[in-house]
Amino acid sequence: MADIILHHYDASPFSEKVRLMLGIKGLAWRSVIQPVIMPKPDLIPLTGGYRRIPVMQIGADVYCDSQVILAELERRYPNPPVVRGADWAVNLWADRLWFQASVAVIFAEMGDAVPKDFIADREKLSGRPFDVNAMKAAAPFMRAQWRAYAAWLEDGLAAGDFLGGATPSLSDVAAWMNIWWAGGAVPKVSEGLLAGFDRTAAWRDRLRAIGHGRRSEMTPGEAVQVAINSAPSDDCPGDPNDPSGLTAGDPVVVQADDYGRDPVEGVLVAATRNRVTLARECGELDVVHVHFPRAGYVLARR
Ligand SMILES: N[C@@H](CCC(=O)N[C@@H](CS)C(=O)NCC(=O)O)C(=O)O
């Protein structure tokens, strides 16, 4: 099987979910470090416009968003099993509600030290002002939200070493992102918000000990060459009951429904219950298949 290539950067919390999943599965993977802000000249040709991180690439298949990345890793490498129960719903909560609380808590603390070009980039990404004073004003409320979310984790760990029982599950991976990010970026604040949460502290040590699998570096240019020299894999059939009414071959556009809404255009390969796949012909790259989650993304005819 072709190499797993993860386009990421070390400080990226959403990438940390994928790195932990690679650790749980014990996989070897290639690490491609992408820029923290635009431009991303060796990423955009692969995705067709999607700029967020992480992106996973396997040959000429490109997976945008940690949700579809984690699902594809589970599909290709089912052992040990990681996804169970209502894990995907927990994942979206940790990605959205908890992550937004983390953003406010972290940038209220360190926002004044953030470089201007980063702020300008993130304002463009979100379409809203990156207002550190507003984050500071909201911080007391957001810290309370953050601790309430962490308390669910603490309570969820009463029955076992991990949220899904005796072995790590996707819920652990999803929750880990927020604990990992706050712990690294604002350690004192995080310590206060987790005060008394002893099970969470022990769980954090257990997850940290899992590591990231076997990582080796690759340059962004090499990754583009891999896509040029590969053909996309076969995809599963579309959902015949899909409410969009779209069928394979239709010209479509996909975009995120939260932030980083850059539209990606292509030809529909398949729309399943939880994934949409587009074929894109892109100069030298010939055909790549770009995969997005359904939950959290808008799919429309062009
Ligand atoms: N829903 C996306 C969110 C990804 C996301 O927000 N990533 C951050 C980095 S952790 C990002 O792309 N920031 C802008 C950038 O890096 O250019 C996912 O699950 O992958």
Side-chain angles (χ1 to χ4, degrees):
M1 207 184 276
D3 284 346
I4 299 167
I5 301 171
L6 183 65
H7 298 261
H8 69 138
Y9 47 84
D10 287 313
S12 154
F14 282 92
S15 304
E16 178 62 15
K17 289 167 67 185
V18 180
R19 295 185 295 247
L20 174 60
M21 180 77 154
L22 291 162
I24 294 169
K25 301 267 182 196
L27 294 169
W29 55 284
R30 310 301 304 272
S31 150
V32 172
I33 297 295
Q34 291 287 351
V36 175
I37 60 174
M38 291 293 273
K40 308 190 187 193
D42 290 312
L43 181 69
I44 299 303
L46 292 172
T47 64
Y50 183 85
R51 61 154 291 182
R52 300 195 294 190
I53 291 294
V55 167
M56 181 173 79
Q57 176 193 347
I58 299 182
D61 282 273
V62 177
Y63 302 87
C64 298
D65 196 289
S66 62
Q67 189 192 135
V68 78
I69 295 172
L70 297 169
E72 183 62 12
L73 288 172
E74 183 78 354
R75 193 183 74 81
R76 289 190 190 230
Y77 304 96
N79 287 311
V82 170
V83 179
R84 56 192 84 141
D87 266 357
W88 287 117
V90 173
N91 183 61
L92 200 60
W93 155 73
D95 279 7
R96 295 214 167 179
L97 289 172
W98 197 354
F99 180 71
Q100 287 311 323
S102 295
V103 168
V105 165
I106 289 170
F107 287 109
E109 215 55 37
M110 52 179 270
D112 290 328
V114 173
K116 281 205 170 55
D117 54 353
F118 179 89
I119 290 181
D121 180 84
R122 292 309 191 257
E123 287 188 333
K124 226 168 158 195
L125 177 79
S126 67
R128 284 183 294 146
F130 188 100
D131 186 342
V132 174
N133 286 331
M135 290 189 221
K136 283 184 187 164
F141 168 75
M142 288 312 226
R143 280 197 288 266
Q145 298 306 298
W146 201 97
R147 182 163 165 89
Y149 296 149
W152 286 343
L153 177 54
E154 178 70 9
D155 295 346
L157 290 168
D161 277 358
F162 299 98
L163 291 170
T167 56
S169 69
L170 177 66
S171 291
D172 297 287
V173 171
W176 168 247
M177 164 174 83
N178 289 290
I179 299 283
W180 173 86
W181 191 29
V186 290
K188 282 217 171 69
V189 174
S190 138
E191 210 176 291
L193 293 180
L194 293 174
F197 292 176
D198 298 339
R199 286 192 288 262
T200 300
W203 169 88
R204 185 160 62 178
D205 293 343
R206 280 194 286 279
L207 287 188
R208 198 178 285 128
I210 290 172
H212 290 158
R214 296 185 306 284
R215 164 178 172 167
S216 59
E217 303 304 312
M218 180 186 257
T219 65
E222 282 175 301
V224 173
Q225 280 305 315
V226 170
I228 292 172
N229 297 331
S230 311
S233 63
D234 291 338
D235 280 282
C236 31
D239 172 9
N241 299 311
D242 190 77
S244 71
L246 295 164
T247 50
D250 286 344
V252 293
V253 56
V254 173
Q255 63 190 124
D257 72 1
D258 50 356
Y259 54 90
R261 297 182 186 198
D262 311 83
V264 178
E265 297 189 344
V267 170
L268 187 65
V269 174
T272 75
R273 290 181 306 165
N274 42 36
R275 180 186 297 199
V276 54
T277 302
L278 306 189
R280 294 190 43 261
E281 282 177 30
C282 173
E284 245 201 313
L285 279 187
D286 205 4
V287 177
V288 289
H289 282 185
V290 190
H291 310 262
F292 297 91
R294 291 306 289 279
Y297 284 77
V298 179
L299 163 68
R301 187 186 294 277
R302 277 193 275 140

